[in-house]
Amino acid sequence: MIRYILPLLVLGIASSCASVKPKGHFQEQTVPAAPDYSQERFWAALPWRSDAADLTPDGLTDEQSAAAVDIFFLHPTTYTGKRGDTGWNGPVDDPALNLRTDESPIQFQASLFNGVGRVFAPYYRQAHLNAYFTHDTGSALQAFEVAYADIKAAFLYYIEHYNQGRPFIIASHSQGTTHGQRLVRELIDGQPLQYQLIAAYLVGIPVYTNHFMSLRPCESPEDVGCLMSWRTWQRNHGPDGSPGVLVTNPLLWTTQPTYADASLNLGGVITPFSKIRPRVVDAQIHESVLWTKRPHFPGSIFYTRKNFHPGDFNLFYVNVRENARLRARVFLENHRAEKP
C-alpha cells in the first residue's frame, strides 16, 4: 500500500497547491457517506444522460449512441484544498466539488473518448491532494482506501448492470490512475474480465509493469488487451529514471525511445476547449517520463512549470481519441473472427 504515497517529484506539483489541508488525523466517523451507484446522481458521466463527457471540440462529434464498446473513466484529483476542502476525502454530494470535476477532467479528458465508446465516469470520495505529500502516511493510506472502495463499487455496479458483456476501455489520470491500476490488477488482470479489456490508458502516475500478472504493455497502435501509461515533462526535465516504469509514446504508441516530431500530433485541446491545436507538442520517451517541447497556447507565457502533468491527455487529445478508436475496431474484428 505504501506505493500509493508518491513523492513530490513523481507528481511534480507543489504541495502548496493544496491551500487548505485536512484537519487532524483520518477518522472514520468523519468520512463522507458512500455513494450508491444505482443512483445516477453519483455518476459524473453516463452515456444516456446529458453531461460534460458529451462535449466535443469543433470538428469532432459525440458518437456514444452508436458505439459498440464502453469507456470506464476515472478522473484525477479535484479535491485540492479549495473552498473548504478540509476532510481527508471529498464528499460525492458536494455540488461545488462535482462542478469542478465536470468542468475540468470530465469535459477536457473523459470527452476525448466519446468518439470511441459509451462513457461511464463515477464520482468517488477522492483523497485530498495533500494525501500525496503529507507526512501522515497512515491517514493518507486510509483516505486512498476509501476512494478505492468507491471506484471498485462503481466498476462492479457498471459490470453487473450496464456492461452486458461489451468490450471496454479503462482510462484514468493522476489519482484516477492510482486507483485504476489497482482496479485492473485486482479485478481484470488474469481474470475473466481480461477477455473484454480492449486496453487500459493509465496515465499521469507511475505504472510498474511487474505489478501485473498477465497484462503486458502495448507495443503498437493496434495492440489490444494491453496497458499504456506516460507522464509528460518539458524536455531535459523530470524525475530520475525508475526501472520498470511503463512509458508509452502517445504519438507512436510504442515503448521505444524513438523521437516523434510534432507533425505527428493531430491536435491537443488546452484552452479554449472548442479549439484543436495540431502539432502542439512532439514526444520522446526518456527513462521513466515522456519529454515534449513547451506547448504554446493563450496564457502559456505564465505557465512556468516544467511538468506538464495537467496536459498528459490533453496535449495528445486527438491522437488518443483516434488510437482508442483503432484499438476498439481491431478488438471487435478479432472477436468476430474468433466466433465459430
Side-chain angles (χ1 to χ4, degrees):
M1 283 300 301
I2 196 66
R3 62 182 175 270
Y4 297 126
I5 303 300
L6 302 174
L8 179 75
L9 287 179
V10 165
L11 285 177
I13 37 184
S15 57
S16 61
C17 290
S19 56
V20 178
K21 298 179 181 180
K23 293 182 178 179
H25 299 297
F26 179 95
Q27 298 181 31
E28 289 187 5
Q29 64 267 31
T30 64
V31 174
D36 174 2
Y37 289 110
S38 68
Q39 299 184 39
E40 293 192 3
R41 66 190 180 95
F42 292 118
W43 293 85
L46 289 168
W48 48 82
R49 190 188 68 195
S50 178
D51 51 53
D54 304 338
L55 301 174
T56 57
D58 293 344
L60 301 181
T61 57
D62 176 8
E63 302 176 25
Q64 293 181 79
S65 62
V69 307
D70 290 345
I71 313 296
F72 191 77
F73 178 81
L74 301 173
H75 69 77
T77 308
T78 54
Y79 189 61
T80 57
K82 299 177 181 178
R83 305 172 190 170
D85 298 348
T86 59
W88 280 99
N89 291 90
V92 287
D93 56 358
D94 180 344
L97 176 58
N98 291 346
L99 182 62
R100 270 184 261 164
T101 302
D102 295 343
E103 291 182 341
S104 185
I106 301 303
Q107 177 176 348
F108 279 84
Q109 296 179 342
S111 69
L112 71 83
F113 293 99
N114 67 27
V116 182
R118 304 188 306 170
V119 180
F120 296 83
Y123 294 121
Y124 62 96
R125 290 172 296 174
Q126 55 186 292
H128 194 289
L129 176 63
N130 189 249
Y132 284 103
F133 307 102
T134 181
H135 295 296
D136 185 359
T137 55
S139 291
L141 287 172
Q142 291 179 84
F144 283 126
E145 281 295 327
V146 169
Y148 177 71
D150 287 357
I151 283 173
K152 181 178 180 180
F155 181 72
L156 291 175
Y157 189 89
Y158 154 75
I159 290 295
E160 182 177 356
H161 296 277
Y162 298 148
N163 175 258
Q164 299 179 323
R166 292 159 60 96
F168 60 84
I169 288 171
I170 301 290
S172 59
H173 186 244
S174 199
Q175 184 172 161
T177 293
T178 293
H179 309 302
Q181 61 179 308
R182 182 179 175 186
L183 182 80
V184 170
R185 191 166 56 243
E186 292 184 359
L187 299 184
I188 299 173
D189 184 26
Q191 304 296 318
L193 285 175
Q194 183 172 332
Y195 297 99
Q196 292 174 239
L197 178 68
I198 298 170
Y201 296 79
L202 304 172
V203 177
I205 289 287
V207 172
Y208 292 87
T209 56
N210 63 3
H211 286 175
F212 299 90
M213 180 174 60
S214 58
L215 287 170
R216 55 187 175 79
C218 300
E219 295 291 356
S220 76
E222 302 88 2
D223 214 355
V224 295
C226 53
L227 308 168
M228 291 160 283
S229 183
W230 63 90
R231 295 173 296 150
T232 317
W233 285 77
Q234 185 171 327
R235 181 172 292 278
N236 298 320
H237 295 84
D240 294 335
S242 180
V245 174
L246 171 59
V247 189
T248 308
N249 187 320
L251 297 184
L252 298 176
W253 302 109
T254 177
T255 59
Q256 300 303 310
T258 308
Y259 174 72
D261 186 77
S263 62
L264 297 175
N265 192 314
L266 301 176
V269 174
I270 307 172
T271 182
F273 175 76
S274 60
K275 184 176 178 59
I276 295 174
R277 301 178 184 278
R279 305 172 62 98
V280 65
V281 292
D282 55 1
Q284 185 174 20
I285 294 170
H286 176 76
E287 297 182 347
S288 61
V289 298
L290 183 73
W291 274 356
T292 72
K293 69 177 184 180
R294 179 178 174 80
H296 293 283
F297 55 91
S300 63
I301 190 172
F302 301 106
Y303 191 89
T304 58
R305 283 170 39 196
K306 308 302 180 183
N307 182 1
F308 301 150
H309 177 77
D312 285 325
F313 269 130
N314 302 81
L315 293 172
F316 311 99
Y317 189 102
V318 179
N319 289 77
V320 176
R321 184 182 178 94
E322 291 303 312
N323 179 254
R325 192 198 305 268
L326 173 60
R327 293 186 200 275
R329 183 169 69 247
V330 170
F331 186 97
L332 292 171
E333 290 173 352
N334 289 348
H335 182 69
R336 285 192 291 267
E338 290 170 359
K339 285 186 176 181

